[in-house]
Amino acid sequence: MQRPSGQAPAPLDGPGVGVSDPGELLRGYLDWYREALMRKVSGLDDAQLRAPVGPLGWSPLGLVQHLGWVERRWMRWGFAAEDLVAYPAGGDEAEWSVPADKPTAEVMAAYRAEVSRSNSLAARAGLSDRARLGGRFQTSDQAPALVRILFHLLQEYARHVGQLDVARELIDGVTGE
């Protein structure tokens, strides 16, 4: 698509154009997608956040909850090998479904807490540091470097935030950036 003459190009998403350090770039894009998730659920009322979206079968709030579990599994259980519950009782159904009696604020706070813990763990490690053994990874052959885990998280967010664009358009016609 060609831009009309005299019109400036749209700003780039993610970290600033001056960022060239691979670690800073990776973390910056991951943060950008985390923020995009929050932008895309912003403005939805509680009923819209909780209602499963037509053919997708999940609600926006369920997606936020799922991504909190993803952060937990990959960073705390995976990278840091913390002894914790990595999957909710009830499997995928429970991970994607928010009980009616669970407040929206609680789901959002749990998500933000997992992101904060992930960022703290990543800030204290180098990209080439390998995951500790004993949590998700039992042998050194299984344990990936932090850079691999962060790339996995980035692709999870890119995919799910794109799906949320579709969900949001189905809910109220709002389209993504």
Side-chain angles (χ1 to χ4, degrees):
M1 182 170 167
Q2 195 169 19
R3 193 173 43 257
S5 74
Q7 186 177 359
L12 295 175
D13 60 4
V17 297
V19 175
S20 61
D21 174 75
E24 188 178 348
L25 198 59
L26 176 56
R27 288 179 179 100
Y29 266 105
L30 186 53
D31 285 342
W32 186 89
Y33 275 106
R34 289 168 173 151
E35 292 163 8
L37 174 71
M38 293 294 104
R39 282 194 310 274
K40 291 175 189 303
V41 299
S42 177
L44 294 175
D45 64 30
D46 205 58
Q48 291 170 318
L49 280 169
R50 291 172 170 278
V53 179
L56 302 173
W58 46 261
S59 70
L61 191 60
L63 176 61
V64 172
Q65 181 172 265
H66 164 70
L67 286 169
W69 281 100
V70 168
E71 292 270 358
R72 179 182 183 91
R73 272 193 296 276
W74 281 97
M75 290 300 295
R76 294 178 60 204
W77 184 50
F79 185 68
E82 291 180 23
D83 184 18
L84 52 74
V85 175
Y87 295 91
D92 282 350
E93 173 75 22
E95 186 165 319
W96 285 85
S97 302
V98 180
D101 63 345
K102 187 172 191 176
T104 296
E106 186 179 318
V107 174
M108 296 302 231
Y111 168 77
R112 287 186 181 103
E114 290 298 342
V115 168
S116 178
R117 289 181 191 115
S118 291
N119 282 338
S120 178
L121 287 168
R124 295 190 313 253
L127 291 177
S128 62
D129 290 356
R130 308 240 349 168
R132 291 192 176 124
L133 302 182
R136 182 179 192 133
F137 308 107
Q138 298 302 307
T139 68
S140 58
D141 290 345
Q142 297 172 332
L146 177 61
V147 68
R148 170 67 177 77
I149 291 172
L150 294 177
F151 265 109
H152 178 82
L153 288 174
L154 181 63
Q155 71 81 26
E156 279 271 346
Y157 274 95
R159 182 166 38 97
H160 286 318
V161 168
Q163 293 167 329
L164 187 54
D165 275 336
V166 173
R168 185 68 193 255
E169 191 167 356
L170 291 170
I171 293 168
D172 65 0
V174 172
T175 57
E177 61 267 322

